Amino acid sequence: MTNIPLRNGGPQARIAVIPGDGIGKEVIPVAVKCIQAATAKHRRPIEFVDFDWGADKYLRENVTLPAGAVEMLRDHFDAILFGALGDPRVPSNQHAADILLGLRFKLDLFVNARPTELLHTRYTPLRDVTLDDIRLMVFRENTEGLYVGVGGFYKKDTPDEIAVQEDVNSRKGVERIIRHAFEYARAHNLKRVCMSDKSNAMTYAGNLWQRVFQSVRADYPAIDSRHLFIDTLAMELVREPRQFDVIVTNNLFGDIISDLAAQLAGGLGLAPSGNIHPGRTSLFEPVHGSAPNIAGKGIANPFGAVLTSGLMMEFLGWNDEAHALKNAVKSALNDNCTTPDLGGSHTTAQVSDYLVNHLAKHM
Ligand code: NAD
Ligand code: IPM
Ligand code: MN
């Protein structure tokens, strides 16, 4: 992410840690240990401050995102390391909406960067692909679309009830994410950008995305840019993922397509993400959720959280540390030191020990 102005760029960092619910509480401590091991060599002072926001606090105190939290994070932290939110005891998911979507919107983290990279061919469900075939970045618009919560019920709880959920797309919002995708491609010497929408059926939003895409792409003649409808993109990603370097799309389509892309490279357990506003306090989280089906069993895969920490190191401008974190994960995959979701028989704690030892040896 070398094109992103650094929030920090300096020798030290303050990180807010929000493990959240379920396996968030299991994988985030592993990520913190790995960051500590990776930053020890250059003696980078890094301070972690824990926040217990999540379902337990919500059920206990009826507090989701505490008053003043956004300003505090914005003014006093360089980045946020976030686990996952979601708890069967909170079927409304209200706390996740307030905390996770609240932080994305209120910190204006308009870039949701979700890279997919195949780190070992054993983990792709596709036949005959090489590591180079699956290396792409999905940029998901992260502050608008169907996620804004505009809408309502009419005649609720009657047989005639109606639910409306509005898809909000601003010119400014569409332009800044599309431009970010092109800037990223240029900075990383990537030749191909694909914008995806559903402009054949959702004609108002789609028309805006199309017009903005046409105007922004003209500023990047050296980049091969194309458009695919989102249904076709889903199919093409499975058929021939090597076609793609950078994909840019809206909030909901980006949510869905990034899970699909993640599975091409081994699944949710390996997928990292950054919720970024260049130059401002940004939030880093694994793509997966709280996985209530395995929470508390000690078998959650921590690789997604560790690779996420690598993205956070990159954001801070600490590239050696970012590389070291990714290499530690690659080495664990090569050595078959994995949790059951990847076919291994190791626990989260055993994988954690492997990663920390590897980092201690190789930094
Ligand atoms: P999920 O990602 O929690 O789980 C999907 C499947 O993948 C499950 O079988 C789970 O066991 C497996 N899985 C996910 N991460 C794993 C890991 N690190 N190691 C091993 N296996 C892993 O998605 P879901 O089941 O649809 O959602 C569960 C809850 O999480 C819901 O409340 C949902 O809203 C929430 N959620 C939160 C986030 C977030 O906080 N960013 C993201 C997605 C889902
Ligand atoms: C994600 C999740 C969230 C989203 C949910 C938990 C609201 O699926 O981060 O991908 O849809 O953005
Ligand atoms: Mn998702």
Side-chain angles (χ1 to χ4, degrees), residues 256-322:
I256 298 167
I257 217 75
S258 60
D259 269 29
L260 190 157
Q263 194 60 50
L264 300 179
L268 283 178
L270 271 160
S273 83
N275 299 259
I276 296 167
H277 187 124
R280 297 198 199 162
T281 306
S282 295
L283 184 153
F284 296 81
E285 54 168 341
V287 175
H288 65 72
S290 56
N293 57 338
I294 58 161
K297 296 187 177 156
I299 54 165
N301 183 348
F303 292 151
V306 173
L307 294 170
T308 291
S309 308
L311 294 183
M312 189 171 75
M313 297 292 100
E314 254 184 76
F315 173 74
L316 295 171
W318 301 358
N319 291 327
D320 284 357
E321 288 77 3

Side-chain angles (χ1 to χ4, degrees), residues 161-179:
E161 84 171 302
I162 291 171
V164 174
Q165 195 89 45
E166 296 288 359
D167 182 13
V168 172
N169 297 264
S170 72
R171 173 173 273 276
K172 175 183 130 191
V174 175
E175 165 147 12
R176 65 183 181 174
I177 190 66
I178 293 180
R179 193 168 289 286

Side-chain angles (χ1 to χ4, degrees), residues 84 100 104 112-117 123-126 134 136-140 147 230 233-235 237-238 241 247 249-273 285-291:
L100 179 58
R104 286 177 185 169
N112 195 328
R114 298 190 156 185
T116 294
E117 185 178 354
Y123 299 108
T124 181
L126 302 184
I134 303 180
L136 58 96
M137 173 65 97
V138 173
F139 285 119
R140 163 184 180 190
Y147 276 70
I230 189 70
L233 173 61
M235 178 270 286
L237 264 174
V238 175
I247 291 167
T249 188
N250 73 17
N251 207 337
L252 179 64
F253 297 153
D255 178 46
I256 298 167
I257 217 75
S258 60
D259 269 29
L260 190 157
Q263 194 60 50
L264 300 179
L268 283 178
L270 271 160
S273 83
E285 54 168 341
V287 175
H288 65 72
S290 56

Side-chain angles (χ1 to χ4, degrees), residues 19-20 82 90 111 113 119 133 154 158 172 178 196 201 247 267 306 310 351:
F82 184 96
V90 187
V111 178
L119 299 178
D133 289 339
Y154 179 54
T158 75
K172 175 183 130 191
I178 293 180
S196 188
I247 291 167
V306 173
V351 174

